[in-house]
Amino acid sequence: MTFFRKNQTVGAVKIPHRVERPQFSDLAVFESIVNAVAHRDYSVYGSKIRFFMFDNRLEIYSPGSLPNTITVDSIHLRQSTRNELMTSLLGETPVAQSIGNVGRDCYMDKRRDGVRIIIDESKRLSGKKPDYQLIDDSELLLTIYSAKTS
């Protein structure tokens, strides 16, 4: 989150007072990173979660296919926990102060709202629905589109 905040663009408009318009939703990015850590396939040896920022999008790659019978088309409707121990740990770990206000006390609230939050927050800011793509049935790519900041 520190890297993300340092590198995202924040524009502003005056209507009649200054209103900042960030490139991406902090909450959507936070949820995306937490989901990537919680639900990645840790049995895929040598692979890492990857995070890339561009002018028009943010990409998060998470090792592993989708668990059980979830598809990229149903990911917003269904839930499946691949790593129960990890989600329990994240559900009990307080969010570090350096992360800032993300609307919760712990990294994961286990309400199964993460994907919905990512979609709603991203659409609110950029007007575009984020895109989930499964690559070679072995890696999940989440693309969050940028809001226009100028």
Side-chain angles (χ1 to χ4, degrees):
M1 290 301 291
T2 301
F3 171 84
F4 158 71
R5 287 194 179 112
K6 281 184 182 178
N7 291 286
Q8 86 163 322
T9 303
V10 178
V13 294
K14 288 182 89 171
I15 50 173
H17 58 284
R18 178 184 169 92
V19 176
E20 289 188 349
R21 293 211 170 134
Q23 188 177 9
F24 302 100
S25 162
D26 280 10
L27 184 54
V29 173
F30 174 81
E31 287 288 344
S32 300
I33 293 169
V34 170
N35 277 357
V37 170
H39 300 297
R40 69 157 283 177
D41 187 345
Y42 285 93
S43 70
V44 180
Y45 180 75
S47 61
K48 296 177 175 31
I49 295 168
R50 295 175 292 141
F51 181 96
F52 299 98
M53 288 180 71
F54 303 94
D55 288 340
N56 64 343
R57 71 193 183 284
L58 179 145
E59 296 177 350
I60 299 173
Y61 293 81
S62 183
S65 64
L66 291 166
N68 298 326
T69 59
I70 293 179
T71 66
V72 292
D73 294 326
S74 69
I75 196 168
H76 67 288
L77 300 170
R78 302 188 51 230
Q79 184 278 334
S80 181
T81 301
R82 182 192 319 268
N83 305 305
E84 192 63 46
L85 183 60
M86 180 66 74
T87 59
S88 293
L89 177 66
L90 290 168
E92 295 174 10
T93 304
V95 174
Q97 282 187 320
S98 62
I99 299 296
N101 183 13
V102 289
R104 72 171 59 124
D105 296 328
C106 295
Y107 282 92
M108 187 169 259
D109 63 13
K110 297 185 77 172
R111 290 183 307 160
R112 297 171 170 89
D113 288 340
V115 172
R116 183 192 53 78
I117 290 169
I118 294 165
I119 292 170
D120 291 350
E121 283 289 306
S122 298
K123 282 174 61 175
R124 178 187 61 78
L125 195 62
S126 72
K128 294 181 181 177
K129 183 178 176 183
D131 183 41
Y132 286 91
Q133 180 181 358
L134 195 54
I135 302 169
D136 295 334
D137 203 31
S138 63
E139 187 171 46
L140 184 65
L141 165 60
L142 169 60
T143 304
I144 298 175
Y145 297 98
S146 172
K148 296 204 183 310
T149 57
S150 55

